[in-house]
Amino acid sequence: MQYHKINAEDIKELIALIGVANVVVEEDKMDMYSRDEVSDKNWEKMPEVVVLPENTQQVSAVMKWANNKLVPVIPRGGGTGLAAGAVPLNGGLILSLERMNQILEIDNHNLFMVLEPGISTGDVQRAAKEHGLFYAGDPCSAESSFIGGNVATNAGGNRAVKYGTTSRHVYGLEVVMPNGDIVTFGGKNVKDVSGYDVIHLLVGSEGTLGVITKIWLKLMPLPKYVATLLVPFKEMQEAINVVPKIMTAGIIPTCLEFMDSESIKASELYLNKKLPYSDCGAYIICQVDGTTEQQVESEYEIIGKICLDNAAMEVFVSDNMASEERIWKARKAYAEALRMISPVYCMEDIVVPVSNIPKALEEIDKIAKKFKCRIPSAGHAGDGNIHCTILREDRDEHTWHELKDAVLEEIYAAVYQLEGSLTGEHGVGAKRVEAQAKHMDPTAMGVLKAVKAAFDPNNIMNPGKVLPL
Ligand SMILES: Cc1cc2nc3c(=O)[nH]c(=O)nc-3n(C[C@H](O)[C@H](O)[C@H](O)COP(=O)(O)OP(=O)(O)OC[C@H]3O[C@@H](n4cnc5c(N)ncnc54)[C@H](O)[C@@H]3O)c2cc1C
């Protein structure tokens, strides 16, 4: 596909469409839009221009313009993606949703929030809480990712074990199609089976099918009681073996996370705070919530007993905000903390059936030993979702790329052997396009390509992401 390269005349046209204040061309100002959170220069590229529309009509005008000119459009939320999904690797313009950041309605009767995409997930959670309501989505990046980005990537996060991924909370979407048409699917109806379920095709489409400009989010009553357990184990395998036992004990925990010893030590270093039993082999972090104190207490007692019966060194229970925060800070610091050990790394996001987690971690350990590299792991154990991170450390560029590619090849092969998939929540973006194409059934790949062609016949929406160019 030959795309049009943006020139000075084009910039004038964009300014005429959405105003000079909403068009950025200066390199120093565009620099922050040239990357996401993938820590590798190979996944960076300067945009030709950045546009900051203020409303859906402006998004539509830009899309119509880009479709006529054959200019790639890369929608962007908070830029916290871990798959180079919001990077203009094939040229074109960045369409940042940061100025569309209004909560339009909180409906206490139907338990809905209607909002624009450019609001941070943390602000969504707090706004719901102020109304005594609960938005269950909770990626570790909540303070910097946008709700629109969460929808576009179908973000998972800590509470997905009990409440599901972002898709579970989305009941309606307004979308600007690649040709500029504005269309709404769904809304506040809790049930609606008219037509195809386009909403859940758009959720997780990573900006390749359209621009999400308005979202109907389902809220829930705020759980009154919450308790978090921090459970250290001497050995990683002991910790991970306990996960299927908890998941089959008749309780659905809100969160069930794990951290291996390297991740614990990295977080301790990053936070500059002593963590309990930080020389242990692994932590399990488990949260339960509910409407009565007795329910929460009885659930955490059952989980605590399962852990102690299965080699836990100790069970710490936090049932107040301060100790809750301390525990979650350690877990949420994982990605940032690893940067202190190795500024460049390759964070993976594999997912396997929960019962196969112990085997998956065994395989990762074998691969790390075989290639003599460090691969710290942490993640959403209750979802079978493991973030294993290959560290570059002091390797030169060439050795690093050879090592990373060889390690990834073996990790992905092991994951598919274990009936897993290469990304549980971070997405395919640009980073995993090749690997996905290699492992996905060709007929399934054909269906994906047909969907893309139906939405975006000119392939201008985030080209080269999810599917090969
Ligand atoms: C420290 C850290 C912790 C993280 N923890 C988690 C976690 O627990 N769970 C998890 O799932 N992810 C996690 N992530 C990854 C990331 O935060 C999520 O993928 C998040 O949903 C991305 O949101 P964003 O607003 O930053 O999107 P961006 O990075 O800006 O974009 C991501 C993708 O969505 C598309 N997009 C963005 N907005 C729109 C829109 N309005 N319309 C159409 N397409 C759009 C982009 O084109 C791109 O393909 C983490 C990242 C970091 C750095």
Side-chain angles (χ1 to χ4, degrees), residues 257-441:
E257 304 282 308
F258 82 100
M259 295 174 74
D260 73 0
S261 62
E262 289 209 73
S263 313
I264 296 167
K265 286 190 190 102
S267 288
E268 191 173 58
L269 189 72
Y270 175 75
L271 297 171
N272 194 20
K273 271 213 169 85
K274 179 88 189 114
L275 296 172
Y277 288 87
S278 56
D279 52 355
C280 69
Y283 281 166
I284 288 289
I285 300 170
C286 186
Q287 189 179 78
V288 286
D289 66 12
T291 43
T292 69
E293 205 167 359
Q294 293 91 314
Q295 177 209 336
V296 168
E297 258 178 35
S298 85
E299 289 190 354
Y300 76 62
E301 274 166 13
I302 294 170
I303 293 170
K305 184 167 177 340
I306 294 173
C307 292
L308 288 170
D309 289 348
N310 288 278
M313 299 165 82
E314 180 78 81
V315 174
F316 297 97
V317 182
S318 101
D319 50 7
N320 63 64
M321 278 304 285
S323 51
E324 279 276 326
E325 264 178 31
R326 261 202 309 279
I327 294 176
W328 285 106
K329 254 192 184 159
R331 166 64 187 93
K332 291 186 178 184
Y334 170 71
E336 294 304 319
L338 291 182
R339 276 193 218 282
M340 283 187 74
I341 308 176
S342 175
V344 176
Y345 58 56
C346 175
M347 183 183 291
E348 288 307 302
D349 175 43
I350 57 172
V351 61
V352 293
V354 175
S355 58
N356 281 343
I357 288 201
K359 281 193 205 130
L361 284 165
E362 239 173 65
E363 289 302 319
I364 292 167
D365 191 43
K366 271 192 220 155
I367 295 166
K369 285 190 176 117
K370 175 174 167 186
F371 288 95
K372 299 189 176 56
C373 61
R374 291 205 286 167
I375 314 181
S377 297
H380 313 297
D383 301 325
N385 189 190
I386 304 168
H387 300 319
C388 50
T389 303
I390 313 161
L391 303 184
R392 172 171 165 172
E393 302 185 90
D394 55 6
R395 292 176 178 88
D396 64 52
E397 185 81 7
H398 177 73
T399 320
W400 162 238
H401 284 291
E402 269 193 358
L403 170 86
K404 173 178 59 78
D405 293 347
V407 169
L408 282 181
E409 178 113 16
E410 296 218 0
I411 290 181
Y412 291 155
V415 163
Y416 280 95
Q417 279 287 319
L418 294 169
E419 298 168 66
S421 171
L422 48 79
T423 174
E425 57 180 23
H426 293 167
V428 176
K431 206 183 143 193
R432 301 185 180 92
V433 165
E434 229 180 275
Q436 176 181 256
K438 184 173 165 192
H439 289 281
M440 190 178 261
D441 164 51

Side-chain angles (χ1 to χ4, degrees), residues 64-372:
K64 223 172 259 170
W65 178 89
N67 198 41
N68 285 336
K69 296 236 167 192
L70 289 185
V71 170
V73 175
I74 295 85
R76 185 177 174 100
T80 66
L82 290 165
V87 183
L89 292 163
N90 293 298
L93 64 83
I94 290 277
L95 188 152
S96 170
L97 280 307
E98 67 199 66
R99 293 194 176 160
M100 292 180 63
N101 58 2
Q102 298 302 308
I103 292 179
L104 304 171
E105 185 188 0
I106 295 182
D107 177 345
N108 287 57
H109 300 291
N110 292 301
L111 306 190
F112 270 97
M113 187 185 294
V114 186
L115 71 176
E116 293 182 321
I119 304 165
S120 85
T121 319
D123 283 343
V124 174
Q125 293 168 339
R126 282 183 286 276
K129 198 171 177 184
E130 276 166 24
H131 286 71
L133 297 171
F134 181 54
Y135 173 61
D138 187 32
C140 289
S141 53
E143 290 310 324
S144 35
S145 66
F146 290 176
I147 191 68
N150 291 176
V151 174
T153 55
N154 190 12
N158 306 313
R159 296 196 281 241
V161 188
K162 181 166 181 178
Y163 295 108
T165 56
T166 304
S167 69
R168 181 95 69 89
H169 318 302
V170 179
Y171 281 66
L173 288 177
E174 177 190 82
V175 180
V176 177
M177 299 292 286
N179 66 1
D181 285 353
I182 302 169
V183 54
T184 298
F185 295 101
K188 291 185 189 171
N189 289 322
V190 174
K191 294 167 83 175
D192 182 356
V193 292
S194 56
Y196 297 124
D197 188 357
V198 180
I199 296 168
H200 292 103
L201 181 59
L202 289 161
V203 175
S205 61
E206 300 187 50
T208 61
L209 301 181
V211 185
I212 295 159
T213 47
K214 200 197 278 188
I215 303 158
W216 282 257
L217 276 187
K218 188 85 179 84
L219 305 176
M220 277 176 271
L222 192 64
K224 283 208 176 82
Y225 298 92
V226 178
T228 298
L229 309 185
L230 175 72
V231 190
F233 288 81
K234 209 174 253 160
E235 302 294 336
M236 175 71 186
Q237 282 299 332
E238 289 169 350
I240 221 65
N241 283 337
V242 99
V243 171
K245 294 195 168 89
I246 295 173
M247 292 303 291
T248 50
I251 295 167
I252 305 178
T254 318
C255 318
L256 182 47
E257 304 282 308
F258 82 100
M259 295 174 74
D260 73 0
S261 62
E262 289 209 73
S263 313
I264 296 167
K265 286 190 190 102
S267 288
E268 191 173 58
L269 189 72
Y270 175 75
L271 297 171
N272 194 20
K273 271 213 169 85
K274 179 88 189 114
L275 296 172
Y277 288 87
S278 56
D279 52 355
C280 69
Y283 281 166
I284 288 289
I285 300 170
C286 186
Q287 189 179 78
V288 286
D289 66 12
T291 43
T292 69
E293 205 167 359
Q294 293 91 314
Q295 177 209 336
V296 168
E297 258 178 35
S298 85
E299 289 190 354
Y300 76 62
E301 274 166 13
I302 294 170
I303 293 170
K305 184 167 177 340
I306 294 173
C307 292
L308 288 170
D309 289 348
N310 288 278
M313 299 165 82
E314 180 78 81
V315 174
F316 297 97
V317 182
S318 101
D319 50 7
N320 63 64
M321 278 304 285
S323 51
E324 279 276 326
E325 264 178 31
R326 261 202 309 279
I327 294 176
W328 285 106
K329 254 192 184 159
R331 166 64 187 93
K332 291 186 178 184
Y334 170 71
E336 294 304 319
L338 291 182
R339 276 193 218 282
M340 283 187 74
I341 308 176
S342 175
V344 176
Y345 58 56
C346 175
M347 183 183 291
E348 288 307 302
D349 175 43
I350 57 172
V351 61
V352 293
V354 175
S355 58
N356 281 343
I357 288 201
K359 281 193 205 130
L361 284 165
E362 239 173 65
E363 289 302 319
I364 292 167
D365 191 43
K366 271 192 220 155
I367 295 166
K369 285 190 176 117
K370 175 174 167 186
F371 288 95
K372 299 189 176 56

